[in-house]
Amino acid sequence: MPLVASPDVMYRLLIQSVVDYAIYLLTPEGVIANWNAGAQRAKGYSADEVVGRHYSLFYTDAERLAGCPDLNLAQARLAGRFEEHGWRLRKDGSAFRAHVVIDAVYDDDGKLVGFAKITRDCSEQYQAQMAQREQERNFRLLVQGVSDYAIYMLDPCGRVASWNAGAERTKGYRAEEIVGQHFSVFYTDKDRCSGLPDKGLETARRQGRFQAEGLRQRKDGSHFWTSVVIEAILDEDSGELVGFSKVTRDMSEQRRYEQALLQAKEAAEQHSQEMAGLSQFLDSVIANIPASVIVQDAGSRKILLANQQAERLFGGQGASMIGHLPERYLPSATAQYLHQQLTRGAHNGRAFAAETRVDTAIGMRTLRSRVVRCQSPAGQADYVLYVGEDATEQLAAHAQIHHMAHHDALTGLPNRTLFSDRLTHALLRGEEQGKLTAALCLDLDNFKNINDSLGHAFGDKLLRALGKRLRAELREHDTLARLGGDEFAVVLTGLDSREAAAHTAQRLIAAVAPAFQIEGHQFSVGVSIGIAVSPEDHQQAEQLLCYADMALYEAKRNGRNRYECFHIDLDVAARQRRLVETDLRTALHLGQLQLHYQPVVDHRSHSVSGYEALLRWEHPERGMIMPMDFIPIAEETGLIHDIGIRALNLACQEAARWEGSQSVAVNLSPVQFKDANLPHIVALALADSGLAPERLELEITESVLLGNSEENVQTLRALKALGVSISLDDFGTGYSSLGYLRSFPFDRIKIDKSFVQDMCDSREAMSIIRAITELSNSLMIKTTAEGVESTEQMYRLAAEGCSHLQGYLYGRPVPASERLTRLLPLAP
Ligand code: C2E
Ligand code: MG
Ligand code: MG
C-alpha cells in the first residue's frame, strides 16, 4: 500500500531528509522552531540542542555584537528575503562559509509567522573560488610585474586591450596612452607600409600563433630588435576569436650580444686563419733562413725540429736528425759541440751566445750560435732553441777587409793607417824600455818619370820588387809600409843609437842599388831616405813622421840616393818653403820674377856668343831669392808652368831688344813637358817678341829623355822644328849615358859644373869631360862647360876641345842692362 500522507506532512518529511541544506524555521523573534538533518550535519547541533534557542548562536561574536542577526531578520521582514554569503559557527566553534537565505513566512492573512532559513555550507566552493582568485591575482601581478616582456592583449581588430609594466618599459607608452590604439604603431614605417602588422595578425588568426623577430619602434622613435609571439585567444565555449595575446621581448641586448659573439667568432676564425698562415710562413722562414735552427725537448733531449741547414751542417746530406738524441745520431765532433751548446743553453737563464770552430759535415766552420731555453705559453713544454750561423765566410771577409784596410794592395805591405798604429805603439814601447825608435821616409828618385815614361804596369812591378828588397833588409819587428806612390816608410824599434838607424838606412840604399830585372830590362833606381828619431826629435808619431819627411826632402835636395837625418834647421827650412809657396804666386803677378843673364863665351873667337837666362826673385822683404830655393817648389805646386812662360817671354822680349845677334838660352823644367802645348807656347813667345828662332836656345835636362819617353822626344822635335836650338843641360849628373846624345839631335851639350870643378884633381872627371867632348865633336854638337871659374880650367877645357865656356871667370848672371857684351882681350 502506497504511503499516503497530507502535503504538509510530505513537505516536512522532504525538508527533514534534505541533508545538503540546513533548512529550519525561526519564530518571528528569531528563535529556532525546527531543525532538519542538513542543519544538524552543517552545524553539528541535534534538534533538541538547538530548537527553542535564538538563531544568533550561529553568528560570530563580532556579528552578534554588531546586531547582525536582528538586522538580517529585519531586512527579511521588510524585503521578504535576506540573502548573504557569510561566516557562521558550528557547534564545535569552527566557522564555515555559508550561503544564507532568510525568507519571511506569512500566513494567509499576511501576518508574519516566522522565517524560513536555508543555509548551505559553501566552504568548499568558497575555498575553490578563493584559490582561483588568488591564482588570477597572482597571474595578473605576474603579468603586470614582468618587465622584460611586453605582454598585452589585442582585441580581434588588433587594438591594444591591456598593457603591462614590461610593455611600458619596452615601448615607452603608459597604459592610458596606448590602450585602444592599433598595435601597428609599434612597427617601423617601412614594415607598416608593407602590411607586416596585419600579416602577423592574420597568421595568428589562421594558425593560432605567429612568431617572428624584427625591428620595432618605441614611443620616442628609437628602434629595438624584438622577438614577437602573437597568439589567438578563442572563447572556450564558442570557439570564437576574442582577441590576441602578444608577447614582445626586447632582444636588443641579446642581439648585440649575439652580434658581438658572431663578430668575435669571425675574428677568431680570421685570427686562426692568420695564425695558420703565419705558422706556415714561419715554417718557410725557418726552412729558408741562412742559419741552422734546432729545437730540442728539454726533458727527453730528443731533437724536435731541425731545418735543412742544420741537417746539412751537422748530419750531412739527406740525413734527418729529428726524433734522435744528438749523441746517438751525429758524428762525435758535431754531437759533442751540439751537446755542449744545448746543455749550456738549457742551464743558462738568459740566451747563451758563442762562436766556435767546429768540424762539421761540410768541413771546419766557424759557427756563431745563440741558445735559449723556452717554455710554451701554457708552461707544459720546455724546449731548448739553438740558432747557429755559419760565420766562416763572413769572418774571412772581415779579415780580408781588415787586411785591405790596413795593407797596400800592390805590395801587400802595411799601409799608412797600420803604419801610424805601429809607430804609435813602437813609441810607447820604446819609452817604456828606454830605447830609441826611428821613423824613416823613403822616396824613389825620379819614380814619377819612370812611371810616366815606362807605364804604370812597369812602375807597379818595380814597386813590388823594391818592397821585397827593402823588407829583406829589416828585422821581423820593424815595419815597412807603403804610404802611396813611391813613398815608403819604416819603423825601427828598440834602437840603442841614432847611428843604428843611419846604418839601416845605408843598408836599404845599398839593397836598392843593384839593377832590377823587369820585363827583360835592367833598371837601376836610387832611393832617398829621411830619418827622424824618438824621443830626441819628437815623441809623437805624426810629428816624427813629418820630420822624417823633411829629412827626406833634404836628402833629395842634397843629391838623391842618400839618407839624411832630421835636425831642427830642416824644420825652419820647411817653414821657409811653405812661406815661399804662398808668396810665389803673388811674386809672379807682381813681376817680382826677373831674369839675370850670364854670358856664354865662344872660346875660339873669344867672344860672347850668347847668354843663359837665369831666374831671380826679388822678394820685397827677403831680398834676392835664387832659383834652387823656389824652382823645386814651383815644380811641386805646378806653378812652374806659369813661371816658365814668364821666363820664356821675358827672355825673348829682352833679347829681341839687344843689339847684335847673341843667342839667349832659357831653361825648361821637365815638368813643363807635361804640357803638350809647349811648342805652341814657344812659338807664341817668338812671335810676340819678334826674336829670330835661331837666337833662342832651350835647355833641358836628361830626365826629359828618361826611359826614351816617346812623347817628350816628339815634343822636342816639334820645338826644334820651330827653328830653335836644344841644349842638354847639366850633362853627367843624372842617369846619363852617352846614348842620349844619339837619341836626339841636340845642338849643344852643357857639361855640368861639378865635373869642371873636379877636373883638375880628378882623373875620372877629366876622362868624363874628354868622352863627352870627343863624342860631341864627332857628332858636330857644340859643348859648353859650366862653372868655369879659373883660367886653368879654361885652358884645360879648351885643350879638351870644348867649344864654349860659361862661368864666373867671364861673368856672373846680372840684369840684362848690366850684361857683359865684350870680353877683355886675353892676356898674352
Ligand atoms: P843651370 O841651368 O845649370 O844654371 C847654371 C847655374 O850655375 C846658375 O845658377 C849659375 O848662376 C851657376 N853658375 C854659373 N857659373 C858658375 C860658376 O862659375 N860657379 C858656380 N859655382 N856656379 C856657376 P842659378 O842661377 O842659381 O841657377 C840654378 C839652376 O836653376 C839652373 O841651373 C837651372 O837649372 C835653374 N834655373 C834657373 N833659371 C831657370 C828658369 O828660368 N827656368 C828653369 N826651369 N830653371 C831655371
Ligand atoms: Mg841651364
Ligand atoms: Mg847647368
Side-chain angles (χ1 to χ4, degrees):
M1 195 175 80
L3 184 64
V4 178
S6 69
D8 227 18
V9 172
M10 289 288 282
Y11 186 66
R12 203 172 56 244
L13 284 172
L14 179 68
I15 297 286
Q16 288 294 343
S17 59
V18 170
V19 291
D20 279 352
Y21 290 84
I23 303 173
Y24 55 95
L25 287 169
L26 299 179
T27 65
E29 291 75 32
V31 174
I32 303 163
N34 66 358
W35 195 245
N36 81 333
Q40 186 166 347
R41 214 172 79 92
K43 309 210 179 179
Y45 294 99
S46 61
D48 44 324
E49 285 175 314
V50 81
V51 171
R53 294 177 72 176
H54 196 271
Y55 91 109
S56 62
L57 88 154
F58 305 128
Y59 281 78
T60 62
D61 290 347
E63 279 181 316
R64 240 190 340 262
L65 280 174
C68 289
D70 290 336
L71 284 172
N72 295 351
L73 284 187
Q75 173 129 22
R77 199 178 294 133
L78 266 176
R81 169 172 271 207
F82 168 79
E83 191 173 356
E84 75 160 354
H85 282 92
W87 291 100
R88 295 296 182 271
L89 296 175
R90 291 194 191 93
K91 181 188 169 191
D92 62 7
S94 64
F96 67 97
R97 190 71 181 176
H99 179 232
V100 179
V101 178
I102 304 173
D103 278 313
V105 182
Y106 297 94
D107 64 11
D108 295 342
D109 299 333
K111 184 185 165 221
L112 179 77
V113 290
F115 299 96
K117 187 157 181 285
I118 303 170
T119 305
R120 195 163 73 96
D121 185 346
C122 317
S123 296
E124 268 177 34
Q125 289 113 295
Y126 180 73
Q127 266 161 14
Q129 201 180 8
M130 290 316 282
Q132 191 187 348
R133 276 212 202 132
E134 174 80 5
Q135 210 176 2
E136 277 173 7
R137 195 178 67 101
N138 285 348
F139 181 71
R140 199 175 60 248
L141 287 176
L142 180 74
V143 168
Q144 291 294 338
V146 170
S147 58
D148 279 358
Y149 289 81
I151 302 173
Y152 51 98
M153 303 289 289
L154 301 178
D155 66 16
C157 301
R159 284 187 296 262
V160 177
S162 73
W163 196 243
N164 82 332
E168 182 173 335
R169 207 177 80 92
T170 312
K171 310 214 172 178
Y173 295 97
R174 275 178 286 113
E176 59 270 28
E177 290 174 312
I178 197 68
V179 170
Q181 287 209 52
H182 195 266
F183 84 113
S184 60
V185 294
F186 307 132
Y187 284 75
T188 62
D189 292 347
K190 195 174 142 218
D191 287 350
R192 247 199 322 272
C193 288
S194 66
L196 201 63
D198 291 331
K199 282 181 195 158
L201 273 198
E202 187 50 40
T203 308
R205 196 175 286 133
R206 269 192 288 107
Q207 299 173 5
R209 183 182 170 89
F210 167 80
Q211 185 164 5
E213 286 200 358
L215 210 56
R216 295 292 182 272
Q217 191 165 290
R218 295 195 189 90
K219 182 185 166 193
D220 62 7
S222 62
H223 292 142
F224 63 104
W225 191 262
T226 59
S227 158
V228 179
V229 178
I230 304 175
E231 266 182 283
I233 304 171
L234 304 177
D235 183 83
E236 277 176 22
D237 298 327
S238 64
E240 258 177 53
L241 179 77
V242 291
F244 300 93
S245 74
K246 189 155 182 286
V247 179
T248 306
R249 187 172 175 205
D250 183 347
M251 301 289 284
S252 308
E253 261 309 296
Q254 197 181 341
R255 174 129 168 124
R256 260 198 296 280
Y257 173 72
E258 276 171 9
Q259 298 225 305
L261 210 63
L262 202 71
Q263 275 172 5
K265 190 172 157 242
E266 277 170 9
E269 271 168 12
Q270 195 185 344
H271 182 66
S272 108
Q273 266 171 16
E274 278 171 10
M275 287 307 286
L278 185 65
S279 142
Q280 214 172 9
F281 171 70
L282 286 178
D283 280 350
S284 81
V285 168
I286 290 172
N288 291 300
I289 52 172
S292 301
V293 179
I294 294 176
V295 178
Q296 188 191 43
D297 185 297
S300 71
R301 297 189 45 257
K302 278 189 182 153
I303 289 173
L304 301 176
L305 182 151
N307 69 352
Q308 264 178 27
Q309 285 71 255
E311 301 202 317
R312 195 174 60 88
L313 188 67
F314 296 119
Q317 211 66 44
S320 172
M321 46 210 269
I322 294 170
H324 298 281
L325 292 172
E327 62 271 25
R328 291 254 175 91
Y329 181 70
L330 299 173
S332 73
T334 45
Q336 203 183 346
Y337 163 73
L338 268 185
H339 172 73
Q340 196 182 47
Q341 299 297 309
L342 291 166
T343 313
R344 277 187 193 158
H347 296 308
N348 218 6
R350 284 169 297 145
F352 171 77
E355 198 173 278
T356 322
R357 287 283 292 168
V358 189
D359 189 6
T360 69
I362 56 166
M364 281 306 280
R365 313 298 292 176
T366 304
L367 303 180
R368 194 176 289 151
S369 62
R370 267 178 90 77
V371 186
V372 64
R373 189 180 181 139
C374 332
Q375 259 190 350
S376 71
Q380 333 92 327
D382 216 350
Y383 307 112
V384 186
L385 168 69
Y386 166 95
V387 180
E389 192 192 347
D390 187 346
T392 318
E393 267 85 36
Q394 192 195 1
L395 289 174
H398 275 167
Q400 173 88 20
I401 289 166
H402 187 267
H403 187 269
M404 278 161 68
H406 292 87
H407 291 81
D408 162 48
L410 179 68
T411 58
L413 293 171
N415 63 8
R416 190 181 287 274
T417 313
L418 185 54
F419 177 81
S420 299
D421 276 4
R422 295 259 175 97
L423 180 56
T424 309
H425 272 106
L427 291 174
L428 279 173
R429 234 188 2 260
E431 199 184 306
E432 284 163 14
Q433 297 170 350
K435 296 277 189 178
L436 304 184
T437 305
L440 276 61
C441 281
L442 288 73
D443 195 292
L444 278 192
D445 296 334
N446 277 325
F447 178 75
K448 251 194 175 78
N449 290 331
I450 296 171
N451 222 11
D452 289 350
S453 52
L454 298 175
H456 288 275
F458 190 91
D460 286 353
K461 281 182 186 159
L462 176 62
L463 289 172
R464 252 182 254 137
L466 184 88
K468 278 191 192 137
R469 282 200 198 172
L470 294 173
R471 185 60 257 184
E473 291 305 315
L474 297 169
R475 299 164 301 172
E476 186 67 31
H477 46 85
D478 294 332
T479 299
L480 170 68
R482 180 173 171 237
L483 306 186
D486 59 340
E487 274 180 78
F488 289 80
V490 174
V491 185
L492 300 175
T493 58
L495 302 177
D496 293 319
S497 65
R498 287 181 84 92
E499 288 69 40
H503 284 143
T504 306
Q506 193 55 61
R507 258 203 338 271
L508 292 173
I509 291 168
V512 174
F516 287 90
Q517 282 277 356
I518 294 168
E519 289 175 358
H521 297 286
Q522 284 229 336
F523 208 86
S524 295
V525 286
V527 63
S528 301
I529 302 177
I531 305 170
V533 179
S534 174
E536 284 168 43
D537 296 334
H538 210 280
Q539 278 141 300
Q540 230 112 62
E542 207 176 321
Q543 195 56 44
L544 195 68
L545 192 64
C546 179
Y547 283 169
D549 200 49
M550 284 180 195
L552 168 66
Y553 191 85
E554 182 65 9
K556 285 182 167 258
R557 270 166 61 90
N558 291 344
R560 301 164 185 264
N561 208 24
R562 53 181 290 150
Y563 71 86
E564 212 63 64
C565 289
F566 173 80
H567 50 87
I568 200 66
D569 297 350
L570 294 184
D571 195 17
V572 176
R575 284 171 212 277
Q576 193 67 31
R577 269 201 305 280
R578 277 198 293 280
L579 272 181
V580 169
E581 211 175 299
T582 35
D583 280 7
L584 199 54
R585 204 172 291 273
T586 332
L588 184 62
H589 293 296
L590 295 183
Q592 292 171 3
L593 295 179
Q594 294 297 329
L595 286 174
H596 280 193
Y597 296 90
Q598 186 179 32
V600 178
V601 171
D602 181 341
H603 164 67
R604 287 182 198 116
S605 63
H606 191 64
S607 62
V608 177
S609 63
Y611 303 88
E612 179 172 7
L614 295 158
L615 270 174
R616 298 293 180 263
W617 178 4
E618 285 161 23
H619 195 283
E621 287 140 34
R622 292 165 55 202
M624 178 91 80
I625 303 178
M626 300 305 278
M628 286 317 290
D629 294 326
F630 65 89
I631 294 287
I633 297 167
E635 286 177 332
E636 280 168 28
T637 55
L639 213 56
I640 191 68
H641 292 285
D642 289 343
I643 291 176
I645 292 171
R646 158 91 183 154
L648 191 68
N649 282 304
L650 193 61
C652 290
Q653 275 156 14
E654 289 189 319
R657 288 200 290 269
W658 296 338
E659 286 170 17
S661 57
Q662 283 119 327
S663 62
V664 65
V666 178
N667 292 281
L668 290 183
S669 159
V671 178
Q672 285 177 273
F673 277 77
K674 289 212 174 98
D675 186 354
N677 224 13
L678 186 60
H680 183 64
I681 290 167
V682 174
L684 269 183
L686 290 170
D688 287 352
S689 61
L691 184 75
E694 58 274 15
R695 288 184 61 198
L696 180 63
E697 275 186 34
L698 299 175
E699 295 191 6
I700 63 154
T701 53
E702 289 163 276
S703 57
V704 172
L705 294 169
L706 200 72
N708 281 332
S709 163
E710 198 40 50
E711 274 174 34
N712 288 357
V713 173
Q714 289 293 336
T715 309
L716 282 177
R717 291 219 169 88
L719 289 171
K720 191 151 179 157
L722 296 173
V724 302
S725 307
I726 308 289
S727 308
L728 189 56
D729 200 359
D730 302 342
F731 191 75
T733 52
Y735 315 95
S736 48
S737 70
L738 293 171
Y740 285 144
L741 300 183
R742 299 184 202 277
S743 64
F744 185 80
F746 289 102
D747 298 289
R748 186 192 296 272
I749 307 289
K750 297 188 77 174
I751 300 167
D752 191 67
K753 57 180 173 286
S754 55
F755 300 104
V756 175
Q757 273 154 10
D758 293 349
M759 65 184 287
C760 298
D761 310 315
S762 156
R763 291 166 66 88
E764 202 187 355
M766 196 63 226
S767 54
I768 288 171
I769 292 172
R770 189 166 297 153
I772 297 169
T773 44
E774 272 176 11
L775 184 64
S776 303
N777 287 335
S778 72
L779 294 171
M780 311 271 280
I781 302 173
K782 288 179 246 177
T783 45
T784 301
E786 295 180 302
V788 183
E789 293 181 0
S790 66
T791 42
E792 189 190 351
Q793 287 165 342
M794 174 195 78
Y795 284 123
R796 283 219 184 182
L797 287 163
E800 290 304 327
C802 252
S803 60
H804 294 78
L805 304 170
Q806 180 184 351
Y808 297 164
L809 179 67
Y810 302 103
R812 290 176 177 260
V814 288
S817 56
E818 298 166 27
R819 73 187 191 283
L820 179 81
T821 49
R822 226 178 278 272
L823 291 178
L824 290 174
L826 278 172

